[in-house]
Amino acid sequence: MGLNIQTFLFLLLVPFAAPAKVTCQTSACHQEMGKGPFVHGPMKSQGCTVCHPTTGQNKGPGQHPGLVKMGGKETNKTCYLCHEEFEHQFRNSKSVHKAIPEKSCTSCHNPHQSQNKFLLSASGDFALCLKCHENKADFKQSKHHMIKDMKRGCLSCHEPHASKNQKLFKKDRIVGLCLDCHDKEVTATDQRKIGSILSWNGLPANLQHEPVAKGECFKCHDIHGSTQTGLLQKKYDLNAHPQKGASSSSELCFQCHKTDLQDKPRVLNETQFRNGETNLHHLHLMGTSKNRNCSACHTPHGSEQGALIKGNFQYLGWSIPLIYKKNSQGGSCATACHKKMEYSREKAVINETDP
Ligand code: HEC
Ligand code: HEC
Ligand code: HEC
Ligand code: HEC
Ligand code: HEC
Ligand code: HEC
Ligand code: HEC
Ligand code: HEC
Ligand code: HEC
């Protein structure tokens, strides 16, 4: 091993030991540097050594400086030299993107130049983010992959660096995030109209479904994508008449509610929807040949009538009103399915007609 490192470097650099005036960028080695539609400010104004400090071994032009090793976590310190506001922001944030302390700024940005805006290393934030987040199941298996269609992709809801909110959210309440787009009707890829959420978001909290009032949209929706329609986490059949009974077509609801509310024909406390001891959930859901689904009566988010009862019932393309009145012992319902019927938990009401 007659070749020590200095000699080796010397031999390596000899071919470039051209006369004066050769800079790193004009040398044959780094000609591609600083060229491209987007060039980092200091490349133009301050040159290479502002970021690649020398160890004092630099013998002038044509000799490769003894560079300090770049890359890895240490890189961020170089960035903070000029972008010190980030360091300050991170100290005052509730969530900081782990990509920054665990990897580095250069896991997303090219420090020199780039084909992409903001010196990003991939075009479009969607492609950029999925470089590290592609293995999240819900991105892959989505049927309704709404984020793909959003103009700003992931950045519609998340900040790339840090946020004063949890999970890098742009807004403090999840509902606020959603309202950015759902405060008006939006058209889905398949041309369906998706109504504004303002109608139910404006209701007082006691008329909203508890998880909705708490802003826990993600308890029912897989926001990033889902194999179910409506970005739902579990099955929820919107057909009034289920094929196999409400339990299997309404898995979504039974994540939190007990099937007790429908199982027994006669009940004491399992449900409020009873006439005397007759379980009206059982009666409607599984007690006749025409079993109903939850979605025949309930709306998932909130209702002016209370008890999450829909104002309208969709049947064969018709919109049929469902007039529900709640009182302290029970209530009444008038619909096209039957004339006005009353129920009371105290003492069974005898209605004119049976359902
Ligand atoms: C704004 C700071 C900054 C400036 C200015 C800068 N560099 Fe870099 N350079 C870096 C960082 C940071 C890395 C490590 C990249 C990484 O983490 O992948 C790097 C890496 C490199 C590498 C290793 C391979 C590569 O392309 O990533 C070379 C070669 C290089 N720089 C040359 C130069 C030259 C030549 C100049 C001047 C024309 C220059 N740099 C200017 C920050 C800078
Ligand atoms: C020597 C000072 C300096 C250092 C060190 C520095 N930057 Fe910059 N950076 C600037 C300046 C100046 C601008 C604004 C340039 C402009 O607007 O053209 C800038 C702009 C940027 C931009 C925005 C580009 C755009 O298109 O708006 C990004 C991203 C960026 N820097 C990332 C980094 C990263 C990552 C590092 C660390 C590897 C770093 N910078 C280190 C001076 C620096
Ligand atoms: C996970 C990827 C990612 C990492 C890591 C990252 N950035 Fe960014 N950065 C982005 C994206 C995406 C944008 C564009 C934001 C937009 O479109 O509004 C951006 C924009 C910027 C900008 C220009 C706009 C602004 O907010 O001022 C600067 C400067 C910047 N980043 C610097 C940094 C620095 C410094 C670091 C390390 C401390 C860093 N970035 C780490 C993704 C990242
Ligand atoms: C270089 C790899 C990398 C890239 C690129 C990247 N991330 Fe991350 N991200 C991570 C790591 C590591 C974590 C922490 C572990 C985890 O939660 O998966 C994380 C966590 C997150 C979190 C959870 C934050 C929390 O506090 O729970 C969000 C949201 C996120 N990333 C969004 C994005 C977005 C949006 C982009 C694109 C702009 C992106 N990521 C690009 C590595 C990356
Ligand atoms: C419509 C708003 C929205 C968009 C767009 C969006 N997210 Fe999210 N993201 C959320 C919500 C809400 C959560 C919290 C979900 C939860 O806690 O179950 C979240 C959570 C995350 C997490 C943390 C996961 C965890 O289990 O804590 C990561 C990582 C993440 N998002 C990455 C991304 C990436 C990458 C993209 C783009 C491909 C993206 N997000 C697009 C709303 C969004
Ligand atoms: C940047 C705009 C935007 C934001 C922010 C946004 N959405 Fe959406 N959302 C859409 C679009 C566009 C669609 C239609 C998607 C399609 O093409 O099928 C949609 C569809 C939906 C659907 C219905 C899917 C279906 O097929 O019926 C649900 C549920 C939904 N969003 C929930 C949310 C929730 C919850 C949030 C907040 C965490 C949110 N959205 C934030 C734009 C947005
Ligand atoms: C208890 C479960 C549940 C919760 C919690 C929930 N949703 Fe939904 N959401 C559903 C179901 C079920 C549907 C589809 C049925 C329908 O359209 O009536 C739906 C449909 C939607 C739709 C599209 C359908 C439309 O036209 O109205 C949007 C947008 C939506 N939800 C947003 C939200 C937002 C925002 C939140 C949080 C504030 C939220 N959801 C919380 C169950 C839920
Ligand atoms: C994430 C858990 C969760 C899911 C999923 C869920 N609920 Fe609820 N629901 C609650 C909580 C909590 C309450 C309030 C306490 C109670 O009455 O049990 C509630 C209350 C209700 C009420 C009574 C509302 C009132 O004002 O009296 C109805 C009706 C209801 N849920 C129907 C449904 C239907 C239909 C589904 C399926 C689309 C469903 N829930 C899915 C948590 C959930
Ligand atoms: C025929 C209409 C109808 C159908 C179908 C229906 N419900 Fe109800 N449900 C009601 C009414 C009315 C109430 C309010 C009872 C009261 O408070 O007086 C109610 C109350 C509830 C409550 C509050 C607690 C309780 O049991 O009183 C929950 C939870 C609930 N329903 C869930 C469901 C689920 C889940 C399904 C489907 C499996 C479903 N409902 C199907 C009409 C219906």
Side-chain angles (χ1 to χ4, degrees):
M1 287 287 289
L3 203 66
N4 68 19
I5 188 75
Q6 272 90 358
T7 331
F8 177 77
L9 277 178
F10 177 76
L11 289 174
L12 197 71
L13 293 166
V14 161
F16 308 118
K21 297 274 186 245
V22 171
T23 66
C24 309
Q25 251 170 299
T26 56
S27 75
C29 310
H30 303 301
Q31 278 176 353
E32 81 287 2
M33 291 281 173
K35 301 204 174 82
F38 301 97
V39 179
H40 198 187
M43 292 286 284
K44 292 175 262 180
S45 52
Q46 280 149 291
C48 316
T49 48
V50 63
C51 292
H52 294 283
T54 63
T55 52
Q57 303 289 313
N58 189 2
K59 302 263 165 44
Q63 285 201 7
H64 210 282
L67 295 181
V68 172
K69 196 170 173 283
M70 298 295 290
K73 291 181 207 173
E74 289 297 302
T75 307
N76 293 358
K77 285 188 190 154
T78 309
C79 309
Y80 298 147
L81 285 175
C82 301
H83 298 285
E84 69 276 15
E85 74 282 4
F86 279 87
E87 222 183 355
H88 178 259
Q89 187 200 352
F90 296 163
R91 260 186 258 117
N92 297 300
S93 296
K94 183 156 184 186
S95 53
V96 175
H97 199 177
K98 284 220 177 76
I100 295 168
E102 282 179 12
K103 309 272 180 183
S104 73
C105 309
T106 50
S107 57
C108 294
H109 297 285
N110 188 313
H112 310 120
Q113 69 280 313
S114 168
Q115 294 298 318
N116 309 304
K117 231 179 132 197
F118 296 121
L119 303 168
L120 291 172
S121 51
S123 74
D125 68 277
F126 192 82
L128 178 74
C129 308
L130 290 197
K131 280 208 289 188
C132 298
H133 293 290
E134 70 183 336
N135 55 357
K136 261 193 78 74
D138 50 340
F139 293 132
K140 267 192 177 163
Q141 48 155 243
S142 316
K143 186 169 151 201
H144 289 248
H145 209 147
M146 77 169 182
I147 35 184
K148 257 189 180 153
D149 310 322
M150 286 192 195
K151 283 206 192 79
R152 279 172 58 80
C154 317
L155 299 183
S156 313
C157 296
H158 298 288
E159 295 286 356
H161 306 122
S163 163
K164 54 185 177 346
N165 311 309
Q166 53 160 340
K167 299 195 182 190
L168 302 171
F169 289 147
K170 293 189 101 104
K171 295 273 166 71
D172 61 340
R173 278 194 77 218
I174 291 179
V175 193
L177 281 177
C178 315
L179 279 173
D180 261 0
C181 301
H182 292 290
D183 59 349
K184 55 195 164 298
E185 190 178 80
V186 297
T187 307
T189 333
D190 58 11
Q191 301 307 314
R192 275 176 308 122
K193 302 282 181 208
I194 296 166
S196 153
I197 69 170
L198 286 178
S199 56
W200 45 266
N201 190 49
L203 293 171
N206 67 323
L207 294 178
Q208 287 183 34
H209 203 180
E210 198 176 296
V212 170
K214 284 186 175 166
E216 296 171 334
C217 316
F218 54 84
K219 291 254 171 101
C220 291
H221 295 287
D222 271 335
I223 318 282
H224 297 130
S226 157
T227 48
Q228 307 289 336
T229 53
L231 296 173
L232 292 171
Q233 289 196 348
K234 289 270 161 69
K235 215 166 164 185
Y236 187 65
D237 192 349
L238 290 173
N239 293 323
H241 301 294
Q243 295 289 312
K244 288 184 191 144
S247 304
S248 61
S249 61
S250 306
E251 285 170 11
L252 181 73
C253 312
F254 293 119
Q255 290 185 109
C256 300
H257 297 292
K258 294 201 179 110
T259 49
D260 284 5
L261 67 84
Q262 62 166 18
D263 285 349
K264 290 185 229 154
R266 302 198 71 77
V267 285
L268 293 172
N269 285 313
E270 287 85 346
T271 178
Q272 300 286 91
F273 192 28
R274 58 180 198 270
N275 192 20
E277 288 182 8
T278 306
N279 181 347
L280 297 176
H281 267 133
H282 179 86
L283 183 80
H284 288 88
L285 293 162
M286 51 215 302
T288 73
S289 57
K290 284 192 212 147
N291 296 336
R292 265 64 171 188
N293 245 331
C294 319
S295 60
C297 301
H298 291 297
T299 174
H301 305 115
S303 150
E304 249 169 298
Q305 310 197 84
L308 298 173
I309 301 296
K310 284 183 166 176
N312 287 287
F313 173 80
Q314 301 296 323
Y315 188 68
L316 299 175
W318 294 80
S319 179
I320 299 156
L322 223 155
I323 301 157
Y324 174 70
K325 295 232 161 63
K326 197 176 156 82
N327 62 43
S328 57
Q329 290 96 46
S332 68
C333 184
T335 124
C337 307
H338 52 65
K339 285 200 285 188
K340 183 174 168 187
M341 298 266 231
E342 285 180 58
Y343 67 96
S344 167
R345 291 177 288 269
E346 307 270 291
K347 187 172 180 295
V349 179
I350 299 169
N351 287 289
E352 265 177 53
T353 41
D354 281 331

